[in-house]
Amino acid sequence: MKMIVDLGKDSYPIFIEKGILTKLDLYIKDVFQGKKIMIISDDNVYGHYGKQVEDVLSKQYEVSSIVVEHGEKAKRFDILPSLYKQLLNAKITRTDCIIALGGGVIGDLAGFVAATYLRGIPFVQIPTSLLAQVDSSVGGKVAVDLPEGKNLIGAFYHPKLVLIDPTTLLTLSDHFISDGMGEVIKYGCIKDAKLFEQLLNYQDFKDLYQDIDQIIYRCVDCKRIVVENDLYDFGDRLILNFGHTLAHAIEQYYHYENYSHGQAVGIGMVQLTHISEQTGMTVPGTADLIASLLEKYHIPTACGLKTKDLLQAISLDKKNIHSSLSYVILKEIGQTIIYKGSHDFVLNKEVI
């Protein structure tokens, strides 16, 4: 399966195919004719796929790798100098290429390094987690974290190519499957009611996997359409943040340890929808419907936090524009509106 993200001079193709890792060189040579490739990966993913990817690419390129510790801590701002130094030591130039091999953290980190090293060098996304395949590898958002919050230092910087191999999902733990399913369900909520209904009909992820190429394609296609219409996240693209205002605050409160991103998004979607139902903006029963689907894929729907504990994190949210937060609200499954409001909108619920 192939699609093009049409962004003029920044356009790039996305390929979704089981086994594509075995022939990466055939796709990369169409977008990169340089000599050197630096793979950036983490210690988990590299152990599964690093040698295979190096061997395939070494047919045509000089290949080296940087392997970081897995987890959100790999995106700390203070890790950047060591990465830049390794690129300099490898004599990586502006005509060379970085490959992001891993999940969303690696995609964000490697993309930010590519955007900022020597004022920008080409990079390719090879997402290996479900969350990265359906969401974070597409759209050009790259970033690192500050102690005060997630993704506060970043850029819009697009890859030359995205290569998605769904067979990498077979090596993921149940934890990372549920993490990615939080974002899959998000797309059903905001843009694709038929996808939402389809997800309800599977018994479990093993049952869903028979259609995984199609499901990834539908999620990515939803994101492609939104990104093409709103590249810099001030209009339609905001709908991709459904559940994220609460999710990022929950992640930060727990120092990115208690809940993965997709799990926090699940909690955020349900709890925000409970609030919007109470205000009459959302069809009654929608939050419970989302919760039932999340529970099928073992995603939490509440965390027992007092909302006042999240105030500081919410105030730093990047959707805070002109002292007003943009909340993504469901009218019903598949239909969204953007509601401009203060912190009080979510703080009116004592516990989430």
Coordinates of all heavy atoms in Angstrom, one line a residue, residues 21 39 41 44-55 101 128 165 167-172:
L21 N 11.1 -4.5 5.6 CA 12.4 -4.3 6.1 C 13.5 -5.0 5.4 O 14.7 -4.7 5.4 CB 12.4 -4.8 7.6 CG 11.8 -3.9 8.7 CD1 12.0 -4.5 10.0 CD2 12.4 -2.5 8.6
I39 N 21.9 5.3 11.5 CA 20.6 4.8 12.2 C 20.6 5.3 13.6 O 21.6 5.1 14.3 CB 20.6 3.3 12.1 CG1 20.6 2.8 10.6 CG2 19.4 2.7 12.9 CD1 20.9 1.3 10.5
S41 N 18.5 4.4 17.0 CA 17.5 3.5 17.5 C 17.6 3.4 19.0 O 18.5 4.1 19.6 CB 17.8 2.1 16.8 OG 16.7 1.2 17.1
N44 N 16.1 -1.6 22.8 CA 15.2 -2.7 22.6 C 15.0 -3.0 21.1 O 15.2 -4.1 20.6 CB 13.8 -2.3 23.1 CG 13.7 -2.6 24.6 OD1 14.5 -3.3 25.2 ND2 12.7 -2.0 25.2
V45 N 14.7 -2.0 20.3 CA 14.4 -2.1 18.9 C 15.7 -2.6 18.1 O 15.6 -3.5 17.3 CB 13.9 -0.8 18.3 CG1 13.7 -1.0 16.7 CG2 12.5 -0.5 18.9
Y46 N 16.8 -2.0 18.5 CA 18.1 -2.3 17.8 C 18.4 -3.8 17.9 O 18.8 -4.5 17.0 CB 19.2 -1.5 18.3 CG 20.5 -1.7 17.5 CD1 20.7 -1.0 16.3 CD2 21.5 -2.6 17.9 CE1 21.8 -1.2 15.6 CE2 22.6 -2.8 17.2 CZ 22.8 -2.1 16.0 OH 23.9 -2.3 15.2
G47 N 18.1 -4.4 19.1 CA 18.3 -5.8 19.3 C 17.5 -6.7 18.4 O 17.9 -7.8 18.0
H48 N 16.3 -6.2 18.1 CA 15.4 -7.0 17.2 C 15.8 -6.8 15.7 O 15.8 -7.8 14.9 CB 14.0 -6.6 17.4 CG 13.3 -7.1 18.6 ND1 13.1 -8.5 18.8 CD2 12.9 -6.5 19.7 CE1 12.6 -8.7 20.0 NE2 12.4 -7.5 20.6
Y49 N 16.0 -5.5 15.3 CA 16.1 -5.2 13.9 C 17.3 -4.5 13.4 O 17.5 -4.3 12.2 CB 14.8 -4.4 13.5 CG 13.6 -5.0 13.8 CD1 12.8 -4.5 14.9 CD2 13.1 -6.2 13.2 CE1 11.6 -5.1 15.2 CE2 11.9 -6.8 13.5 CZ 11.2 -6.3 14.6 OH 10.0 -6.9 14.9
G50 N 18.2 -4.0 14.3 CA 19.3 -3.2 13.9 C 20.3 -3.9 13.0 O 20.6 -3.3 11.9
K51 N 20.7 -5.1 13.3 CA 21.6 -5.8 12.4 C 21.0 -6.1 11.1 O 21.7 -6.0 10.0 CB 22.0 -7.2 13.1 CG 23.0 -8.0 12.3 CD 24.4 -7.4 12.4 CE 25.5 -8.4 12.0 NZ 25.3 -9.0 10.7
Q52 N 19.7 -6.5 11.0 CA 19.0 -6.7 9.8 C 19.0 -5.5 8.9 O 19.3 -5.6 7.7 CB 17.6 -7.2 10.0 CG 16.8 -7.4 8.7 CD 15.3 -7.8 9.0 OE1 14.9 -7.8 10.2 NE2 14.5 -8.0 8.0
V53 N 18.7 -4.4 9.5 CA 18.6 -3.1 8.7 C 20.0 -2.7 8.2 O 20.2 -2.3 7.1 CB 17.9 -2.0 9.5 CG1 18.1 -0.6 8.9 CG2 16.5 -2.3 9.8
E54 N 21.0 -2.8 9.1 CA 22.4 -2.5 8.7 C 22.8 -3.3 7.5 O 23.4 -2.8 6.6 CB 23.3 -2.7 9.9 CG 23.2 -1.6 11.0 CD 24.2 -1.8 12.1 OE1 25.0 -2.8 12.0 OE2 24.2 -1.0 13.0
D55 N 22.5 -4.6 7.6 CA 23.0 -5.5 6.5 C 22.3 -5.2 5.2 O 23.0 -5.2 4.2 CB 22.7 -7.0 6.9 CG 23.6 -7.5 8.0 OD1 24.6 -6.9 8.3 OD2 23.2 -8.6 8.6
L101 N 14.8 4.4 13.5 CA 14.4 3.0 13.6 C 13.8 2.8 15.0 O 14.6 2.6 15.9 CB 15.5 2.1 13.3 CG 15.2 0.6 13.4 CD1 14.2 0.1 12.3 CD2 16.5 -0.2 13.3
T128 N 8.5 1.2 14.2 CA 8.4 -0.2 14.6 C 7.3 -0.5 15.6 O 7.0 -1.6 15.9 CB 9.7 -0.7 15.1 OG1 10.1 0.0 16.3 CG2 10.8 -0.6 14.0
D165 N 6.4 -1.5 8.3 CA 6.4 -3.0 8.2 C 5.6 -3.5 9.4 O 6.1 -3.6 10.5 CB 7.8 -3.5 8.2 CG 7.9 -5.0 7.9 OD1 6.8 -5.7 8.1 OD2 9.0 -5.5 7.6
T167 N 4.9 -6.4 10.4 CA 5.4 -7.6 11.0 C 6.2 -7.2 12.3 O 6.4 -8.1 13.2 CB 6.3 -8.4 10.1 OG1 7.5 -7.7 9.7 CG2 5.6 -8.9 8.9
T168 N 6.7 -6.0 12.4 CA 7.4 -5.6 13.6 C 6.5 -5.6 14.8 O 7.0 -5.7 16.0 CB 8.1 -4.2 13.4 OG1 7.1 -3.2 13.2 CG2 9.1 -4.2 12.3
L169 N 5.2 -5.5 14.6 CA 4.3 -5.5 15.7 C 4.3 -6.8 16.4 O 3.8 -6.9 17.6 CB 2.9 -5.1 15.2 CG 2.7 -3.8 14.4 CD1 1.3 -3.6 14.1 CD2 3.3 -2.6 15.3
L170 N 4.7 -7.9 15.7 CA 4.6 -9.2 16.3 C 5.6 -9.4 17.5 O 5.5 -10.3 18.3 CB 4.9 -10.3 15.2 CG 3.8 -10.3 14.1 CD1 4.2 -11.3 13.0 CD2 2.4 -10.6 14.6
T171 N 6.6 -8.5 17.5 CA 7.6 -8.6 18.6 C 7.3 -7.6 19.8 O 8.1 -7.6 20.7 CB 9.0 -8.3 18.1 OG1 9.1 -7.0 17.5 CG2 9.5 -9.3 17.1
L172 N 6.2 -6.9 19.7 CA 5.8 -6.0 20.7 C 5.1 -6.7 21.9 O 4.3 -7.7 21.7 CB 4.8 -4.9 20.2 CG 5.4 -3.9 19.2 CD1 4.3 -3.0 18.8 CD2 6.6 -3.1 19.7

